[in-house]
């Protein structure tokens, strides 16, 4: 199951939206804390089905991914999302994906930085919160391993460079896409 992260800054932000099968948990627990309609931005670390599964819970949000991830989605939607049912929901919703690059300056004002981390997918990103030394790593770094690189949009050569880059970071908290 994919982790979803809620950031309560000047604007409310969600990092990844979790697996569709966990929708009731998000509604039950996160829905008790906040009005899900108050989320202004959703940042996808990548577009696999288990990370985009509950996008439609955040009806007032703008949705962001890296330009490379968006390009891969347009070239090969099935290979990017990896689940036909979720892809259909995503396509049928008419969701507009905006490039994360378009809000990099805005995120910097909130204290967040975007790190391009090709590997698990060619367009994977991590979100770095330097004030608290938190790395939101998506499926690039997991609790006990690296993300898979045997999927249609993986970048095997990019993963080594990414691992080298991230190994130089002194994060206190790793907030991975999955807890395994």
């Amino acid at each position: 199951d994919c982790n979803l992260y809620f950031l309560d800054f000047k604007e409310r932000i969600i990092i990844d939206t979790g697996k569709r099968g966990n929708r009731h948990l998000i509604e039950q627990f996160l829905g008790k804390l906040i009005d899900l309609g108050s989320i202004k931005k959703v940042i996808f670390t990548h577009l696999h089905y288990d990370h985009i599964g509950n996008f439609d819970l955040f009806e007032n949000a703008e949705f962001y991914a890296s330009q490379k991830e968006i390009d891969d989605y347009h070239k090969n939607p099935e290979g990017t999302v990896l689940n036909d049912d979720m892809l259909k929901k995503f396509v049928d919703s008419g969701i507009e994906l905006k490039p994360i690059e378009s809000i990099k300056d805005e995120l910097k004002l909130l204290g967040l930085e975007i790190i391009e981390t090709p590997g698990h997918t060619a367009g994977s990103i991590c979100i770095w919160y330097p004030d608290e030394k938190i790395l939101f790593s998506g499926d690039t770094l997991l609790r006990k391993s690296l993300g898979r690189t045997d999927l249609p949009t993986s970048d095997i050569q990019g993963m080594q460079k990414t691992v080298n880059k991230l190994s130089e970071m002194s994060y206190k908290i790793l907030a991975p896409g999955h807890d395994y």
Side-chain angles (χ1 to χ4, degrees), residues 115 126-128 133-137 141 166 171 173-175:
I115 303 168
C126 293
I127 296 104
W128 173 235
K133 295 190 180 221
I134 301 172
L135 180 65
F136 299 93
S137 64
L141 294 179
L166 296 180
Y171 53 85
I173 298 172
L174 175 64

Side-chain angles (χ1 to χ4, degrees), residues 93-111:
S93 74
I95 187 173
E96 179 188 352
L97 285 169
K98 297 181 177 185
I100 193 74
E101 290 80 3
S102 68
I103 59 162
K104 275 188 177 179
D105 291 339
E106 189 178 334
L107 293 175
K108 271 193 175 179
L109 292 174
L110 298 174

